[in-house]
């Protein structure tokens, strides 16, 4: 059913939606192979770049503005020798064939191009491995041809209808003040993810980026796995082991823009600024200082679509979270726009070529791997973004409920919890489109970056440094711990179709995230995760970690997200919210001081047993609730004891 049939507010734009769908279909057909599939043709990575042949090597590059080109590197003393000069083979392509015995594994190389009015060194646009010299900081492509290709052990189909996502960054996943590695993450962090109950890993900053402090969002080499964290084989082993633990692996992919750098990236690649990008002001992002792709060019579209295919097939990934979708969708990148009017999704500010590219990306991903998931990071709320293409949508499987985290910041920052509005909390946490799937979170990496604060930091502030011992007695810490638990549970139980947590937030990681930069003396102090805090049983971080494990495993094991939430009780005076989902009841008492005995809750006939409650000792509570008590409906109600600032999960057992 078309999206304007399920959402009557879209009827005025029926013709636009139909036109978009036709245009996307035309473009798909123009790019697809003879079998009508995009994946048949999206193989740029198999043609361009450096490849082994039966009698040596072949290298190809697309650079239509170049007039001359050489392959330079360790194999020829970095000289522009005639024997290493590429020849033009038509349509902007250049090629060189090298016999065996001249190129060897791990050698460094680049291109040297000449173009009208200039020339310079460039890293090949399809390089799959780039490394940085620790002394000069110069990046080069590196020949990567292991003698023994990685042998996958845990190939399997992982279907995630309701993903529980653990968002992470490999480099900052270590306790030490340095860049962490794939191997360290695999051995030290992956078991934590499994123990907590998450079934999907969302990894940031995998594509190579010259500036570590960009958090991976200023990509230079789209086909290269960042060498800071280790080798391709080490990453494959991480993915393989995750699959063996029944954990899907999703990549945070950046196709919304490209770093402006010329020495490392695609900027002025062959001497012209619009090879893959827009010409002039449209080709430069006013807020990010980066280059904006021209998605209307087939060259750009094929480059990026081939990039998705490469990552899926080379590393056996299970999907993508597309970053910066709002920036792609609108010519003004959504900057300063208050998206409260449907007209904003259908006017001339919409970049129709970008919207078309995103639809093609979703079609391609699901052609290659039908069970893969795609997630859109969009703050505009564009209607149809996460609806199927056949229904007039763009085809994402999920969209991020980005407003949820913003509201938690607003509520914590602007109001004492005495003044939190129960109806507003329910409304804002559940206000989602019925025809699209969403993923909710109380906080992701955005809320932890410098300039912002995590939820626990907002609640406790400096007390995190002095009063997190289990023996300390501090009312403000007790309040913060209690609210942290309630906030995370109510966000989970009202989530649309999936739930996300950023690495370390599950146990209330102290402080912010600040990557090494000139302004902090290039320090790694805040670009790491202090696992020693959660591993110390004498600190209250362990209680929060135990609570996160309990709510995630409880929600997942009871398939809570398979049904939409229903409101059973919203009492503003008492500060009580009660929510039903699947066979579970989630009862919240946000009241700062008042506990309630025999609180009547409307419920389906039957007997209910407690699964967990936030007041349990193992979660840092006061153990005021008898978890063994069974609750039987009488006259359509169950009676509950609801301590102040406490949450209980019950399940119908009979």
């Amino acid at each position: 059913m078309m999206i304007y049939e399920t959402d009557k507010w879209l009827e005025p734009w029926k013709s636009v939606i139909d036109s978009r769908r036709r245009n996307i279909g035309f473009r798909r057909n123009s790019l697809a192979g003879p079998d009508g599939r995009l994946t048949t043709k999206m193989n740029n990575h198999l043609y361009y770049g450096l490849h082994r042949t039966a009698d040596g090597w072949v290298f190809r590059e697309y650079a239509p503005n170049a007039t001359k080109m050489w392959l330079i590197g360790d194999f020829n003393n970095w000289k522009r020798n005639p024997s290493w000069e590429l020849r033009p083979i038509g349509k902007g392509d250049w090629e060189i064939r090298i016999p065996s015995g001249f190129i060897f594994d791990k050698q460094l190389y680049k291109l040297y191009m000449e173009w009208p009015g200039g020339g310079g060194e460039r890293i090949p646009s399809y390089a799959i491995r780039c490394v940085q010299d620790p002394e000069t900081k110069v990046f080069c492509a590196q020949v990567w041809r292991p003698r023994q290709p990685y042998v996958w052990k845990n190939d399997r189909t992982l279907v995630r209808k309701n993903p529980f996502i653990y968002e992470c960054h490999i480099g900052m996943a270590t306790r030490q003040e340095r860049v962490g590695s794939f191997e360290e993450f695999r051995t030290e962090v992956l078991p934590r993810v499994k123990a907590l109950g998450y079934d999907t890993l969302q990894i940031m900053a995998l594509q190579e980026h010259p500036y570590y402090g960009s958090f991976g969002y200023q990509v230079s080499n789209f086909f290269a796995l960042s060498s800071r964290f280790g080798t391709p084989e080490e990453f494959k082993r991480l993915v393989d082991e995750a699959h063996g633990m029944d954990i899907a692996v999703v990549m945070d992919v950046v196709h919304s823009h490209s770093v402006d750098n010329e020495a490392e990236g695609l900027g002025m690649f062959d001497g012209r600024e619009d090879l893959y990008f827009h010409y002039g002001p449209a080709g430069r992002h006013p807020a990010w200082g980066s280059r904006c792709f021209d998605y209307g060019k087939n060259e750009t579209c094929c480059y990026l679509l081939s990039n998705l295919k490469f990552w899926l097939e080379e590393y056996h990934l299970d999907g993508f979270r597309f970053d910066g979708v709002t920036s792609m969708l609108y010519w003004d990148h959504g900057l300063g726009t208050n998206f409260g009017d449907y007209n904003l999704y259908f006017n001339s500010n919409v970049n129709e070529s970008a919207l078309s590219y995103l639809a093609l990306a979703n079609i391609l991903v699901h052609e290659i791997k039908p069970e893969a998931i795609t997630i859109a990071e969009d703050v505009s709320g564009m209607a149809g973004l996460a609806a199927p293409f056949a229904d007039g949508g763009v085809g994402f499987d999920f969209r991020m409920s980005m407003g949820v985290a913003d509201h938690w910041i607003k509520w914590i920052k602007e109001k004492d919890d005495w003044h939190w509005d129960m109806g507003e909390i329910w409304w804002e946490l559940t206000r989602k489109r019925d025809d699209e799937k969403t993923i909710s979170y109380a906080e992701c990496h955005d809320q932890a970056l410098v300039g912002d604060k995590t939820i626990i930091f907002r609640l406790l502030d400096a007390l995190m440094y002095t009063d997190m011992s289990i023996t300390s007695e501090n009312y403000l810490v007790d309040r913060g711990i209690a609210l942290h638990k309630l906030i995370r549970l109510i966000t989970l139980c009202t989530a649309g179709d999936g739930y996300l947590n950023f690495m370390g937030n599950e146990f209330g990681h102290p402080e912010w995230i600040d990557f090494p930069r000139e302004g902090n003396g290039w320090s790694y102090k805040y670009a790491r995760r202090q696992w020693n805090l959660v591993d110390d049983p004498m600190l209250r971080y362990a209680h929060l970690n135990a609570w996160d494990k309990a709510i995630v495993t409880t929600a997942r094991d009871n398939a809570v997200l398979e049904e939409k939430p229903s409101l059973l009780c919203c009492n503003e005076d008492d500060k009580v919210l009660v929510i039903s989902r699947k066979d579970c009841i989630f009862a919240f008492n946000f009241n700062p001081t008042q506990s309630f005995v025999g609180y009547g809750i409307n419920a389906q006939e039957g007997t209910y047993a407690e699964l967990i409650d936030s007041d349990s000792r193992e979660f840092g509570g006061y153990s005021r609730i008898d978890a063994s008590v069974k609750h039987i409906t009488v006259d359509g109600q169950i009676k509950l004891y609801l301590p102040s600032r406490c949450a209980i999960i019950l399940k119908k057992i009979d």
Side-chain angles (χ1 to χ4, degrees):
M1 184 176 290
M2 299 297 290
I3 58 175
Y4 48 72
E5 296 176 304
T6 57
D7 182 355
K8 299 303 180 183
W9 291 97
L10 290 174
E11 285 186 350
W13 293 278
K14 177 179 182 295
S15 62
V16 180
I17 294 169
D18 287 340
S19 177
R20 280 180 178 173
R21 185 168 175 269
R22 286 194 300 271
N23 291 337
I24 293 167
F26 291 150
R27 194 163 192 206
R28 176 189 61 187
N29 293 339
S30 71
L31 295 174
D35 58 356
R37 289 165 57 84
L38 284 171
T39 185
T40 307
K41 291 289 286 293
M42 295 303 115
N43 296 306
N44 284 22
H45 55 293
L46 301 179
Y47 180 77
Y48 296 108
L50 184 64
H51 298 282
R52 198 78 169 89
T53 64
D55 57 354
W57 299 81
V58 62
F59 177 88
R60 300 184 188 95
E61 185 60 81
Y62 175 68
N65 194 50
T67 56
K68 283 194 172 185
M69 192 182 303
W70 293 265
L71 199 62
I72 59 174
D74 292 338
F75 36 72
N76 61 11
N77 250 350
W78 298 89
K79 302 294 184 182
R80 281 174 267 164
N81 297 329
S83 58
W84 291 88
E85 184 174 353
L86 282 74
R87 63 186 182 90
I89 57 174
K91 297 183 179 180
D93 291 344
W94 297 76
E95 181 184 275
I96 183 172
R97 292 182 178 272
I98 305 104
S100 295
F102 289 91
I103 293 180
F104 299 97
D105 189 35
K106 296 186 176 57
Q107 287 183 319
L108 303 181
Y109 69 99
K110 285 186 178 183
L111 290 170
Y112 189 93
M113 293 189 204
E114 289 183 358
W115 51 77
E121 293 183 355
R122 294 291 186 263
I123 293 179
S125 59
Y126 288 85
I128 64 169
R129 172 80 170 168
C130 296
V131 294
Q132 184 179 30
D133 186 283
E135 300 298 326
T136 66
K137 306 302 180 185
V138 171
F139 275 88
C140 291
Q142 186 179 45
V143 179
W144 198 259
R145 179 82 177 179
R147 293 179 180 176
Q148 294 183 335
Y150 184 82
V151 179
W152 293 86
K153 303 175 182 65
N154 295 301
D155 268 345
R156 60 180 62 188
T157 298
L158 298 175
V159 178
R160 292 291 178 265
K161 293 182 178 179
N162 302 107
F164 289 84
I165 301 173
Y166 194 86
E167 182 189 32
C168 62
H169 184 285
I170 300 296
M172 62 172 287
T174 180
R175 178 186 168 190
Q176 285 74 36
E177 295 184 28
R178 55 174 174 78
V179 179
S181 69
F182 292 128
E183 281 292 282
E184 289 171 322
F185 189 96
R186 181 183 64 81
T187 59
E188 299 172 18
V189 182
L190 196 56
R192 295 179 185 271
V193 179
K194 176 65 176 176
L196 287 169
Y198 292 91
D199 61 17
T200 304
L201 201 62
Q202 180 179 299
I203 309 181
M204 307 171 63
L206 288 175
Q207 294 169 294
E208 191 60 87
H209 46 290
Y211 179 44
Y212 187 53
S214 75
F215 223 155
Y217 290 124
Q218 292 269 350
V219 174
S220 52
N221 312 104
F222 287 80
F223 289 83
L225 180 73
S226 182
S227 60
R228 289 182 180 89
F229 313 132
T231 68
E233 283 63 44
E234 288 168 341
F235 179 57
K236 289 175 182 178
R237 189 178 179 190
L238 190 165
V239 175
D240 203 7
E241 196 153 315
H243 287 167
M245 295 179 176
D246 199 34
I247 297 173
V249 181
V250 171
M251 171 184 173
D252 198 346
V253 70
V254 182
H255 282 182
S256 47
H257 63 134
S258 172
V259 70
D260 192 35
N261 300 34
E262 297 175 16
E264 295 89 2
L266 297 175
M268 301 294 291
F269 185 71
D270 62 353
R272 54 185 278 204
E273 64 173 292
D274 59 341
L275 177 62
Y276 294 109
F277 310 111
H278 285 286
Y279 181 82
R284 298 191 177 274
H285 199 291
W288 298 342
S290 53
R291 301 305 310 270
C292 298
F293 287 110
D294 183 350
Y295 304 100
K297 291 183 174 182
N298 283 349
E299 297 88 345
T300 303
C301 227
C302 293
Y303 180 83
L304 296 175
L305 290 174
S306 296
N307 187 238
L308 295 174
K309 184 174 182 178
F310 167 79
W311 285 100
L312 274 179
E313 295 187 340
E314 181 69 18
Y315 295 107
H316 292 208
L317 299 179
D318 303 291
F320 300 98
R321 180 257 198 193
F322 283 73
D323 181 71
V325 167
T326 307
S327 178
M328 300 171 71
L329 288 174
Y330 306 96
W331 288 108
D332 66 359
H333 308 292
L335 298 173
T337 304
N338 181 16
F339 290 97
D341 184 341
Y342 270 33
N343 180 61
L344 297 173
Y345 307 141
F346 302 100
N347 63 22
S348 59
N349 186 41
V350 176
N351 184 339
E352 297 291 344
S353 294
L355 186 145
S356 173
Y357 165 70
L358 289 170
L360 296 178
N362 279 288
I363 292 169
L364 173 75
V365 168
H366 293 109
E367 279 182 359
I368 297 169
K369 198 168 190 175
E371 68 277 8
I373 62 174
T374 57
I375 306 167
E377 188 229 17
D378 168 54
V379 298
S380 75
M382 175 176 275
L385 192 62
F389 170 67
D391 298 343
V394 181
F396 282 98
D397 295 298
F398 301 93
R399 67 188 310 155
M400 306 296 291
S401 290
M402 300 184 71
V404 171
D406 292 339
H407 279 291
W408 281 123
I409 291 174
K410 177 183 176 182
W411 292 326
I412 296 170
K413 187 177 180 180
E414 298 179 1
K415 299 179 181 179
D416 187 279
D417 54 306
W418 275 102
H419 299 100
W420 288 2
D421 186 305
M422 298 297 103
E424 182 185 20
I425 289 176
W426 164 256
W427 169 251
E428 295 297 350
L429 296 190
T430 57
R431 188 163 59 97
K432 305 173 178 70
R433 295 185 61 84
D434 290 334
D435 58 351
E436 298 183 5
K437 293 181 179 180
T438 58
I439 292 172
S440 293
Y441 54 94
E443 51 187 343
C444 69
H445 69 272
D446 287 331
Q447 285 69 43
L449 290 169
V450 161
D452 209 334
K453 291 183 178 181
T454 60
I455 287 176
I456 196 67
F457 209 2
R458 287 188 182 279
L459 292 170
L460 299 185
D461 215 344
L463 295 174
M464 298 193 71
Y465 303 111
T466 59
D467 289 72
M468 286 300 282
S469 168
I470 62 172
T471 60
S472 67
E473 296 183 3
N474 187 307
Y475 165 77
L476 292 177
V477 173
D478 289 348
R479 168 188 178 271
I481 295 290
L483 289 177
H484 193 270
K485 291 184 287 186
L486 267 61
I487 288 168
R488 301 183 81 77
L489 178 59
I490 198 168
T491 302
L492 193 163
C493 82
T494 56
D497 306 272
Y499 176 73
L500 178 142
N501 162 68
F502 177 67
M503 175 179 67
N505 287 351
E506 70 273 9
F507 66 85
H509 195 282
E511 301 169 327
W512 50 84
I513 298 171
D514 187 13
F515 275 74
R517 54 188 172 85
E518 188 175 4
N520 64 15
W522 304 104
S523 170
Y524 287 86
K525 181 177 181 181
Y526 299 111
R528 61 192 178 109
R529 298 284 89 175
Q530 299 179 61
W531 304 110
N532 55 301
L533 298 177
V534 70
D535 292 338
D536 189 339
M538 297 304 294
L539 296 178
R540 302 184 71 169
Y541 299 104
H543 294 151
L544 295 178
N545 193 73
W547 174 248
D548 194 77
K549 176 181 179 179
I551 64 174
V552 169
T553 54
T554 298
R556 190 201 64 203
D557 292 349
N558 289 281
V560 164
L561 300 186
E562 288 184 0
E563 285 187 3
K564 293 187 179 300
S566 300
L567 185 62
L568 299 181
C569 174
C570 180
N571 191 310
E572 182 57 40
D573 292 333
D574 294 340
K575 300 294 182 190
V576 170
L577 267 173
V578 184
I579 298 161
S580 173
R581 200 158 189 183
K582 201 65 181 272
D583 294 322
C584 295
I585 291 176
F586 300 80
F588 298 87
N589 180 9
F590 280 92
N591 199 299
T593 59
Q594 191 172 357
S595 299
F596 301 101
V597 178
Y599 203 91
I601 304 296
N602 294 330
Q604 183 183 354
E605 290 292 329
T607 301
Y608 293 80
E610 178 183 309
L611 296 180
I612 57 171
D613 71 78
S614 65
D615 200 50
S616 172
R617 289 286 185 193
E618 66 175 309
F619 309 132
Y622 299 109
S623 194
R624 290 170 288 179
I625 300 173
D626 185 350
S628 67
V629 173
K630 301 295 187 292
H631 304 274
I632 303 172
T633 51
V634 177
D635 298 328
Q637 283 193 336
I638 55 174
K639 303 289 186 178
L640 299 179
Y641 171 47
L642 296 177
S644 61
R645 289 193 181 123
C646 178
I648 306 171
I649 304 179
L650 304 171
K651 183 176 182 179
K652 187 174 181 293
I653 58 174
D654 185 23

